[in-house]
Amino acid sequence: MFTRFLAVLALLLSPCTAHAVNDACQIHRLKLSPMMQVLVERLRWHMWTRNNDLKITAEADLDAFIALTQITDRYGKLITNAIRDYNDGDPEADHLCFKYVLEADCESYLVYQRTVIDLPKSDRKAIEDEGVRRCERARNF
């Protein structure tokens, strides 16, 4: 009886490694929502601006918002899987999670770009250059 108690106590006090936690990936996952929120705010500005040459339709705004939500959800789940697959402090996990954040940044900006690029007074070159910069960063990481 006493040995059973000691065995249970030893199990309770032993470190549990069944669920890995990776702080670096957690931090990267927390970057997704603010990153998307910036683009949502930009789209909101295009939706409500008084300048008709920079205004987007409600349908375009909704389509972009849905796409951004799906990107956030997909990459959030990929990072969650990486958190489960790697132990804390694993540099491969940190690299993988940061790569996911960069890919999400590229994809989300392309959604924004597709939504506003054809507006009559949009700065087409600046929008395209920003998209190229973000996607090059993701590709070269």
Side-chain angles (χ1 to χ4, degrees), residues 7-54:
V8 169
L9 185 63
L11 283 174
L12 289 174
L13 296 177
S14 67
C16 179
T17 58
H19 300 286
V21 174
N22 192 304
D23 291 334
C25 282
Q26 289 281 15
I27 290 168
H28 291 309
R29 185 173 64 180
L30 293 174
K31 294 175 186 175
L32 288 176
S33 291
M35 186 173 67
M36 297 300 174
Q37 191 59 39
V38 168
L39 294 175
V40 167
E41 289 300 319
R42 283 186 182 182
L43 289 169
R44 184 173 292 149
W45 180 87
H46 282 286
M47 176 78 180
W48 296 108
T49 184
R50 291 176 183 247
N51 185 343
N52 285 332
D53 291 331
L54 291 172

Side-chain angles (χ1 to χ4, degrees), residues 31-43 46 60-61 63-76 98-117 127-128 130-139:
K31 294 175 186 175
L32 288 176
S33 291
M35 186 173 67
M36 297 300 174
Q37 191 59 39
V38 168
L39 294 175
V40 167
E41 289 300 319
R42 283 186 182 182
L43 289 169
H46 282 286
D61 181 62
D63 290 343
F65 180 76
I66 289 170
L68 292 174
T69 303
Q70 290 171 341
I71 291 168
T72 304
D73 187 48
R74 180 173 59 251
Y75 281 98
F98 189 61
K99 177 179 164 240
Y100 287 150
V101 170
L102 292 177
E103 288 175 2
D105 185 44
C106 170
E107 280 188 44
S108 61
Y109 191 80
L110 292 178
V111 167
Y112 170 78
Q113 179 178 314
R114 281 191 305 270
T115 305
V116 301
I117 195 81
I127 293 170
E128 288 174 342
E130 180 67 13
V132 167
R133 185 189 67 77
R134 289 182 187 216
C135 292
E136 280 294 316
R137 187 173 176 213
R139 270 191 294 275

